[in-house]
């Protein structure tokens, strides 16, 4: 890594899977790692202490949301997002581009970035590479992301090429504008075109980025196609830098991607699905509102050590709370799901270090359906 | 107290205020005490561990809500509400009558109780004194409440007299039908008519109730009138039994009522107001959405030891979370408010034991308005 105070090194390898150690001013992160999403400066429903207890040592904040509310100046005056949100460990922010494009009203894209209206108060905002760096600088996470262009899944090749070219130009502008004491990751685009992905990864790897992210996955393309492309592209990324697969995915997506050499993940799935009453386990999903759990006086997952599974709460009680609209169940299932992700990456690291990643991975591949 | 496994004794006295010790099969409760309300088997937003950390050793469950969902049979099969809701300490349930009358559809009252339709699924339910005992028996709290008639505040004398007479007849039926291993409290009615209150209290005190509750307060009468009547009635209640003022109130209401000899309270105010963004302090309320807190980087209450006040959360951050609709803030303010109530009754006990209740009470009487 290039920014002062940051380093990354591979610590073990098993096939293409690897473990690593990411060092930052707010502590070390063992990889592979999963970053819970704290969209608005809070991992929804949980306290920072509870998030850390899931094993997470890095969380993601969404620049778009924090920019429009409470605003980067308030966060800066609070002493940065770590202090504002009482999160003492490592933090990463995205560039805001993805949400500006997907959530905002009346957005347009030019060579200079995105112009859009806030979905909260309609105010006009312009997100250029320089503004993305300025806003992320004020938020003050350890790791910032470059502004990039993320075309929809299965876009045609000319659109993918234009997205890569613009992303490369913005990469240079972000590197020139970044805060010297923040790390910055570049974002590889190229959709499901392997040649384009590899070429773009080489372009970005030639720049002094602290890490390389794979953007533009899980945006509408068939998930099998994503894994095929990952299998060809991820193993070719510069091994001296961490590899971050953005916005992915289910437990089995993580397990497969780790097998290709990905080090970092973020996804709203464990937290969002929890609020929809879906508890994830290695045996599959538990949809807690289902009548089959009405008199099920067993814990969500007897193999899990999270507070929801060890606190005496039964599936019948959690179902009751969910149907009654009680907030406690949203917390408990969120905590459970993040504990599952925390355990998954921890056990993945142990399996890689022990040279038994393939058998570890097989044990998780059936976990995407409903519990039998 | 009359039921096996239960006892109550006064431990100190200062004017009419007193401390006491309530012993139950699920532990001891020092009085005066405040019972957080766990309407549907959960003190909204908090885990049982967090509730206990506020100092609470007894919570209230609402029979009406638990009856219609998940139903008393499921709770009984779960091993009772203590086990279902993972609450190891003392528990009290109301009779369901108040909610059957105020929440249900198409309710009618006869000599035999209330007939109404569930506000959830429209099913027809009949709540007689015997059913109130049966349902509360299945829920299995330590303390059950008799079915009573609670007329609106400032009802005319004939209506108050009829309510007292029916409540007395139902009192006998509840005592005859109660589970032998549950304690049962009688409920004194009579509105703001002091003579009627005293007469009804005497009627009920002649029966083998384990405690005496004051119902029908804070139901529309001027709050000053309530305190006048409490001042005349509460000191005359049988001192060998605990005195429970139902559904009251603000911190200064508690302080004044403790001064008249009340031992137990429940109220949704600290939890409901928290979810409306109101944090209570001894200096007054903090309405967290107000612009005055936008860049207020101090804790809610620097004198408070709750997780919200000691976890590094600032008013500016809590305001951001509230405006952003983040669940974490509802938890933090709920926890804060219940810590305030826990501290209030703990300090009241200390003040009574030390013979300085009057000066303690004066320090709280300005706490009902907004923070200056």
């Amino acid at each position: 890594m290039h920014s002062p105070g940051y380093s990354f090194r591979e610590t073990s390898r098993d096939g293409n899977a690897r473990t690593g150690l990411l060092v930052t001013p707010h502590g070390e992160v063992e990889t592979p790692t999963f970053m819970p999403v704290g969209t608005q400066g809070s991992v929804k429903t949980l306290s920072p202490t509870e998030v850390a207890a899931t094993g997470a040592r890095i969380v993601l904040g969404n620049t778009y949301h924090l920019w429009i509310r409470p605003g980067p100046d308030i966060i800066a005056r609070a002493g940065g997002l770590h202090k504002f949100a009482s999160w003492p460990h490592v933090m990463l922010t995205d560039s805001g581009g993805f949400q500006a494009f997907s959530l905002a009203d009346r957005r347009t894209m030019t060579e200079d970035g995105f112009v859009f209206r806030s979905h909260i108060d309609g105010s006009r905002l312009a997100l250029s590479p320089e503004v993305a760096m300025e806003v992320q600088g004020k938020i003050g996470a350890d790791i910032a992301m470059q502004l990039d262009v993320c075309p929809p899944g299965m876009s045609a090749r000319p659109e993918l090429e234009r997205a890569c070219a613009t992303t490369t130009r913005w990469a240079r502008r972000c590197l020139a504008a970044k805060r010297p004491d923040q790390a910055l990751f570049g974002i590889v685009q190229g959709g499901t075109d392997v040649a384009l992905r590899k070429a773009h990864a080489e372009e970005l790897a030639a720049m002094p980025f602290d890490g390389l992210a794979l953007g533009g996955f899980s945006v509408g393309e068939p998930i099998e196609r994503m894994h095929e492309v990952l299998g060809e592209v991820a193993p070719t990324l510069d091994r001296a830098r961490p590899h971050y697969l953005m916005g992915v995915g289910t437990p089995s997506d993580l397990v497969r991607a780790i097998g290709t050499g990905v080090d970092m993940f973020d996804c709203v799935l464990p937290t969002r699905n929890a609020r929809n009453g879906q508890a994830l386990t290695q045996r599959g999903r538990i949809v807690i509102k289902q009548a089959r759990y009405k008199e099920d006086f067993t814990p969500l997952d007897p193999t899990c050590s999270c507070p929801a599974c060890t606190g005496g709460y039964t599936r019948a009680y959690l179902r009751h709370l969910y149907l009654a609209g009680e907030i406690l169940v949203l917390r408990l299932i969120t905590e459970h799901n993040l504990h599952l992700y925390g355990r998954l990456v921890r056990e993945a690291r142990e399996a890689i270090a022990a040279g038994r990643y393939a058998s570890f991975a097989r044990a998780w591949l059936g976990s995407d359906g409903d519990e039998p």
Side-chain angles (χ1 to χ4, degrees), chain A:
Chain A
M1 295 178 83
H2 298 78
S3 300
Y6 296 84
S7 69
F8 175 79
R9 65 185 170 88
E10 198 174 286
T11 50
S12 74
R13 196 163 180 91
D14 180 11
N16 287 319
R18 63 183 192 161
T19 60
L21 191 70
L22 172 64
V23 179
T24 82
H26 284 92
E28 300 183 345
V29 179
E30 293 180 277
T31 64
T33 192
F34 177 78
M35 302 184 278
V37 178
T39 300
Q40 305 188 107
S42 159
V43 175
K44 287 190 191 302
T45 80
L46 298 188
S47 74
T49 309
E50 288 160 351
V51 174
T54 69
R57 286 296 176 271
I58 175 168
V59 297
L60 178 145
N62 284 123
T63 292
Y64 170 83
H65 288 95
L66 295 166
W67 186 15
I68 61 176
R69 186 174 55 197
D73 291 321
I74 284 184
I75 296 174
R77 281 197 284 276
L81 188 57
H82 287 92
K83 194 162 177 215
F84 190 57
S86 300
W87 176 253
H89 308 293
V90 187
M91 212 174 241
L92 176 149
T93 44
D94 62 12
S95 69
F98 188 80
Q99 274 86 15
F101 210 77
S102 58
L103 287 184
D105 296 327
R106 295 167 55 188
R107 75 283 183 288
T108 56
M109 196 195 108
T110 68
E111 178 58 27
D112 210 40
F114 302 102
V115 175
F116 58 95
R117 297 205 176 259
S118 154
H119 77 285
I120 301 292
D121 65 4
S123 60
R124 184 183 174 282
L125 295 164
L127 182 62
S128 65
E130 291 74 21
V131 169
M133 291 299 98
E134 184 195 340
V135 174
Q136 290 184 82
K138 287 179 175 172
I139 294 173
D142 301 282
I143 300 170
M145 298 300 296
Q146 75 150 104
L147 190 67
D148 66 323
V149 181
C150 178
M154 307 312 280
S155 294
R157 172 131 187 164
E159 189 179 352
L160 296 174
E161 284 176 349
R162 278 194 303 273
C164 289
T166 307
T167 297
T168 297
R169 288 191 297 275
W170 289 356
R172 292 195 190 94
R173 290 172 60 177
C174 285
L175 281 164
K178 93 181 192 66
R179 226 171 97 163
D181 59 348
Q182 272 183 321
L184 182 64
F185 282 22
I187 303 178
V188 176
Q189 291 289 346
T192 54
D193 188 310
V194 170
L196 213 48
R197 283 271 177 193
K198 286 186 175 176
H200 197 227
E202 273 188 40
E203 271 181 18
L204 296 182
M207 302 183 201
F209 280 117
D210 298 291
L212 295 170
L214 296 162
F217 280 119
S218 201
V219 289
E221 79 282 9
I223 207 69
E224 278 307 310
R225 183 70 193 130
M226 174 185 86
H227 285 295
E228 285 168 19
V229 176
L230 278 178
E232 301 210 46
V233 173
T236 70
L237 295 174
D238 175 18
R239 283 169 57 180
R241 285 180 273 202
H243 311 150
Y244 163 27
L245 177 57
M246 303 179 77
V248 175
T250 65
S252 67
D253 286 335
L254 263 64
V255 166
R256 295 173 76 177
I258 290 169
T260 69
V262 171
D263 308 301
M264 300 166 65
F265 300 88
D266 79 286
C267 192
V268 295
L269 190 144
T271 43
R272 178 177 292 165
N273 286 26
R275 299 194 307 284
N276 292 328
Q278 293 182 19
L280 308 173
T281 79
Q282 197 170 356
R283 300 178 65 233
R285 284 182 315 172
I286 295 168
V287 181
I288 201 66
K289 71 179 175 192
Q290 290 178 351
R292 64 195 281 205
Y293 303 120
K294 191 170 180 177
E295 300 197 19
D296 184 340
F297 300 119
T298 65
L300 277 180
D301 181 352
T303 71
C304 176
S305 61
C306 83
C309 293
T310 58
Y313 308 104
T314 62
R315 295 171 177 202
Y317 180 63
L318 297 173
R319 177 178 186 269
H320 162 64
L321 293 183
Y322 188 78
L323 294 178
E326 288 289 346
I327 282 174
L328 176 60
V329 69
L330 309 183
R331 292 174 53 181
L332 291 172
I333 302 183
T334 299
E335 220 168 354
H336 169 79
N337 285 354
L338 288 183
H339 271 264
L340 184 85
Y341 274 64
R343 182 181 126 204
L344 187 156
V345 293
R346 187 186 71 243
E347 292 182 357
R349 292 191 298 265
E350 293 165 359
I352 294 165
R356 50 174 175 75
Y357 190 73
S359 66
F360 164 82
R362 273 193 300 278
W364 280 90
L365 294 183
S367 62
D368 278 1
D370 281 0
E371 182 189 49

